[in-house]
Amino acid sequence: MTDSRVPRRRRFLVCEPRHFAVQYAINPWMHPDTHVDVDLAQEQWRTLIRAYEAHGHDVAAVEPVPGLPDMVFAANSAVVVGGRVFGSLFHAPQRRPESTHYDLWFKTAGYDVHRPAAVCEGEGDLVWTGRYVLAGTGFRTARDAHREVQEFFGHPVISLTLVDPHFYHLDTALFVLDDANIVYYPEAFSPGSREVLARLYPDAVLATRDDAMAFGLNSVSDGRHVFIAPQAEALAVRLDDHGYVPVPVDLSEFHKAGGGIKCCTQEIRS
């Protein structure tokens, strides 16, 4: 089955963790007294970039800004579909200045950027499936932003309610494998949202709480290779059984801030 999985070349936007730290607490993973090994974080991040490039993906980078320790989590900056950029308006005031710097990068690269009126945290809560947008709400992105996204892109938006604060963003509880399937942790969602996902993806790979707590759902797939936290061993085995190729990349320093592989990776879809 593995040979039938076809990777698709991706273009990613990232931000070096030069100023990464845990200076405030805006999710259950964050504790301001936590020590971050910045040198280790940078090496882990560089390993991720090398893994992407070794598998044929293009990587662009935004310059990090002092005083914005979470800017490394590039996925939260926007969602890009068909070359159109829907920007971010962060829930936490500490992160709101990040939007200006990411918007400037996109504008300099020739993109127009839509600034949302409602709180919206980019690919953290907006997951493009190739057919529609799965949109998370409950902790960060407002439901009003889902309507904005649908009007902006002209693609259907399916709202999903998150109920466990450990999985405060959709990309900590769900990721897309390819145009046909996803992986998700059911208990991160409200009962109605679980029913919606079960109807849309009857053959989805279901994750356990252990998988999710190991940041196994904060993964990136190119349709064949799945860049995944090595701590999510059981999920990697299930993905292999389904014909995907796990590529373990350890971003454990970033787990201290509630982030992982996907959080550090914004996809630019032209």
Side-chain angles (χ1 to χ4, degrees), residues 138-265:
F139 297 104
R140 298 292 182 84
T141 297
R143 192 174 292 270
D144 284 349
H146 297 182
R147 290 189 282 270
E148 280 191 75
V149 169
Q150 181 163 284
E151 289 301 312
F152 180 73
F153 288 121
H155 291 294
V157 172
I158 297 167
S159 294
L160 301 168
T161 301
L162 296 161
V163 297
D164 186 326
H166 284 92
F167 313 113
Y168 57 93
H169 272 156
L170 186 60
D171 72 358
T172 65
L174 177 153
F175 72 94
V176 172
L177 283 167
D178 49 37
D179 289 343
N181 212 359
I182 66 170
V183 183
Y184 69 99
Y185 168 49
E187 284 69 29
F189 298 91
S190 67
S193 296
R194 290 199 297 268
E195 288 189 28
V196 168
L197 288 170
R199 291 176 187 276
L200 290 175
Y201 296 100
D203 299 318
V205 177
L206 300 184
T208 67
R209 185 174 182 83
D210 286 345
D211 297 327
M213 293 293 286
F215 289 84
L217 280 300
N218 199 241
S219 297
V220 171
S221 172
D222 64 12
R224 175 180 169 86
H225 308 101
V226 179
F227 303 88
I228 187 171
Q231 295 85 355
E233 295 179 9
L235 180 57
V237 171
R238 290 199 295 283
L239 291 170
D240 182 73
D241 290 342
H242 282 76
Y244 299 92
V245 180
V247 180
V249 182
D250 184 14
L251 291 193
S252 53
E253 279 302 292
F254 299 95
H255 296 178
K256 296 174 180 178
I261 292 170
K262 176 55 192 171
C263 288
C264 292
T265 309

Side-chain angles (χ1 to χ4, degrees), residues 4 6 19 23 43 49 82 143 149 183 200 233:
S4 68
V6 179
H19 309 295
Q23 297 177 346
E43 180 54 35
I49 305 312
R143 192 174 292 270
V149 169
V183 183
L200 290 175
E233 295 179 9

